[in-house]
Amino acid sequence: MSEIFSEEKARTAAWFRQLRDEIAAAFEALEDSHATGPLSDAAPGRFEVTETTRASDDGSDAGGGLMSVMRGGRVFEKVGVNVSQVYGHLGEAAQKAMAARGVPGMEDDPRFWASGISLVAHMQNPHAPAVHMNTRMFWTPGAWWFGGGSDLNPCIEYDADTEHFHAQQEVHLAPHGADVYPRLKAWADEYFYIPHRHRARGVGGIFMDDRNTGDWEADFALTQDIGRAFLPAYLPLVEKRRAQDWSDADRETQLLHRGLYAEYNLVYDRGTKFGLATGHDANAVLMSLPPLAKWY
């Protein structure tokens, strides 16, 4: 891959890996500290880490990443924290999609590089909210940009939890301008909406895409703060709800809400479509899907 922007690519990929390591360690510590509830006697969950690869058309090295998935823990029923660094040439369909979004130079030079972290957590306790977080950098010879965000997906909503999640994001984004959090919140409300259900998939969060102000350092710093906001926004909610009593009716509500989540990711999510279209490991791309779900 081209050496153009090599230092920035290396810094970005290293940051995503560092963030992955911090979150995975925090989640395993949460498993270790869980001492009450119906699964308190179970062994604490641990991440299974496997290397992933991206298949290129000509068989050349096209990058890959790490897929880290924990299944059947005390707190997490399934959680994945993946990082990737992929590169190569975009296929014709991906080129057209990028050109339609205004990415310059796609017709002349389809090379690309992308790195990111992707996280989705599905919980044992229906009162503990599911969550999604993703940040990424994308580069082509004609442009670069950052994207991503995080959003809370409770099946049983608590106003106090929603307020805490949003408040932490607002605090972490405040150094980047008073207008940034409101714009990214509104963007998340629009992006994580399910048109065929006429509803949002959760209680929102923050989201951005195609972030290129012309100041790479400033845009990278914003992307880092989106990542830094995640643990203080989310962990206190899990700690508060993980041992709360729940009923069969609560579990039914959880499974139906997961069906909603699966519909969104398979039909609308841009990252899922891109990962599958560019030949990345399908298991890593579809890590976001819940282990169990129901539909009416």
Side-chain angles (χ1 to χ4, degrees):
M1 199 62 188
S2 170
E3 291 302 310
I4 299 173
F5 239 64
S6 58
E7 179 183 349
E8 290 85 350
K9 293 173 187 175
R11 286 175 58 193
T12 312
W15 160 250
F16 294 140
R17 176 59 187 266
Q18 176 187 332
L19 182 59
R20 175 263 167 214
D21 292 346
E22 291 175 0
I23 292 172
F27 282 3
E28 289 190 347
L30 197 61
E31 286 282 320
D32 290 336
S33 66
H34 185 60
T36 60
L39 295 171
S40 58
D41 293 334
R46 288 292 180 266
F47 282 99
E48 298 178 6
V49 181
T50 56
E51 292 187 2
T52 62
T53 58
R54 174 181 173 267
S56 63
D57 293 336
D58 61 4
S60 61
D61 181 15
L66 289 179
M67 179 171 66
S68 308
V69 180
M70 182 195 303
R71 298 177 177 87
R74 295 170 171 175
V75 179
F76 299 94
E77 188 170 359
K78 178 187 176 186
V79 54
V81 190
N82 294 355
V83 288
S84 63
Q85 182 177 205
V86 297
Y87 44 85
H89 292 78
L90 292 170
E92 184 177 353
Q95 281 180 257
K96 290 180 178 178
M98 291 292 178
R101 285 169 54 190
V103 179
M106 279 286 94
E107 298 84 356
D108 302 321
D109 193 340
R111 287 177 298 158
F112 83 97
W113 178 96
S115 182
I117 177 173
S118 180
L119 178 156
V120 176
H122 299 287
M123 315 306 292
Q124 294 281 12
N125 192 318
H127 294 280
V131 73
H132 156 263
M133 189 274 291
N134 164 274
T135 56
R136 57 192 176 273
M137 176 189 161
F138 197 93
W139 173 92
T140 72
W144 56 262
W145 69 85
F146 291 93
S150 61
D151 64 300
L152 197 66
N153 297 273
C155 67
I156 300 171
E157 296 182 14
Y158 293 93
D159 290 343
D161 292 3
T162 302
E163 291 169 5
H164 172 85
F165 189 77
H166 282 277
Q168 285 297 316
Q169 294 174 330
E170 185 172 13
V171 166
H172 281 78
L173 268 57
H176 303 279
D179 65 322
V180 173
Y181 168 75
R183 286 195 291 108
L184 269 57
K185 178 183 181 299
W187 201 338
D189 291 340
E190 178 182 358
Y191 183 75
F192 295 113
Y193 184 79
I194 306 176
H196 68 268
R197 296 293 186 184
H198 308 290
R199 59 157 293 176
R201 80 171 188 185
V203 296
I206 50 177
F207 179 78
M208 68 177 185
D209 212 354
D210 302 336
R211 176 82 181 189
N212 181 339
T213 64
D215 186 336
W216 188 91
E217 291 289 351
D219 293 344
F220 181 39
L222 172 60
T223 304
Q224 289 176 296
D225 280 336
I226 290 174
R228 292 187 184 103
F230 175 74
L231 285 176
Y234 184 60
L235 281 189
L237 309 183
V238 179
E239 291 169 345
K240 180 167 57 174
R241 304 294 177 191
R242 63 186 181 179
Q244 191 168 335
D245 290 338
W246 52 276
S247 65
D248 290 343
D250 294 332
R251 176 63 168 172
E252 181 78 1
T253 299
Q254 182 188 50
L255 294 177
L256 289 170
H257 191 272
R258 286 179 177 177
L260 191 77
Y261 193 94
E263 288 177 12
Y264 177 87
N265 276 35
L266 292 174
V267 176
Y268 301 110
D269 185 71
R270 188 180 293 172
T272 301
K273 292 180 179 179
F274 178 82
L276 295 175
T278 55
H280 195 55
D281 187 291
N283 289 328
V285 175
L286 298 175
M287 169 273 296
S288 60
L289 296 180
L292 294 171
K294 292 182 72 172
W295 286 263
Y296 287 110

